[in-house]
Amino acid sequence: MPRLEPFRVEPFRAEPFRLEQLRADHATALLTFERENRAYFGASVPDRGDAFFDRFDALHRERLAEQAAGLCFFHLLVDDTGAVLGRVNLVDVAEGAADLGYRIAERAAGKGLATAAVREVRALAVTAYGLRSLRAAATVDNAASRTVLTRTGFRLIGETVLNGRPALRFELGLAAAEPAAPRG
């Protein structure tokens, strides 16, 4: 049996990105991102369904209204051409806590982008949004998301079910969290 080398993640350098809070003018690029990656996302997270795409413009406006009200904070990872590489969202903001969720485009996956972006949003959660803790969940079969969560300081706190699939719950106390690591 061949000896396996330890798993290493190189810093994300292949595609630089900017983290931007969701705006109205992101709609076209975001819809393109969701359409292009629908099948890829469906392999590890529940599909958004046809209604999401049919009602995208209205849903986008609803997300912007939730963000304006401070109920959620939506972030896009955008490349130099304006294409969306991923999203990192803080939802259900209440009492100093929020739920973290993220999606990374297939073409950008496996390059450390999710880890770098979650670290940046984690720092914003403290400095810009005044949050004290974050929660997250990942299905048991989504090893990549579980790895991102543990690399960014989340600790496993229990089990749950996400859309009928076994999953794990994670939590991060932000007072003890390390600052965002610089991207090179």
Side-chain angles (χ1 to χ4, degrees), residues 127-143:
T127 61
Y129 310 135
L131 299 177
R132 295 181 307 279
S133 67
L134 297 177
R135 300 172 299 264
T139 56
V140 171
D141 62 345
N142 191 342

Side-chain angles (χ1 to χ4, degrees), residues 12 15 17 19 30 33-34 36-42 44-45 48 75-78 84-89 101-119 121 142 144-145 148:
F12 181 82
E15 296 184 63
F17 71 91
L19 185 70
L30 181 55
F33 163 81
E34 291 288 352
E36 288 177 350
N37 292 284
R38 185 176 185 181
Y40 173 68
F41 294 148
S44 58
V45 296
R48 293 189 185 277
H75 306 87
L76 298 183
L77 290 67
V78 180
V84 175
L85 298 172
R87 355 176 23 159
V88 181
N89 301 322
Y102 48 90
R103 291 175 174 234
I104 303 299
E106 183 174 19
R107 73 179 177 103
K111 299 175 183 175
L113 178 64
T115 299
V118 167
R119 284 183 177 142
V121 169
N142 191 342
S145 282
V148 168

Side-chain angles (χ1 to χ4, degrees), residues 69-73 90-99 129 131 134-135:
L71 302 173
C72 302
F73 300 103
L90 299 173
V91 300
D92 297 333
V93 175
E95 300 179 13
D99 292 330
Y129 310 135
L131 299 177
L134 297 177
R135 300 172 299 264

Side-chain angles (χ1 to χ4, degrees), residues 18-53:
R18 295 180 315 275
L19 185 70
E20 298 179 355
Q21 195 170 56
L22 184 66
R23 302 184 311 258
D25 65 333
H26 285 128
T28 300
L30 181 55
L31 180 57
T32 298
F33 163 81
E34 291 288 352
R35 282 184 175 147
E36 288 177 350
N37 292 284
R38 185 176 185 181
Y40 173 68
F41 294 148
S44 58
V45 296
D47 183 66
R48 293 189 185 277
D50 292 337
F52 172 84
F53 296 95

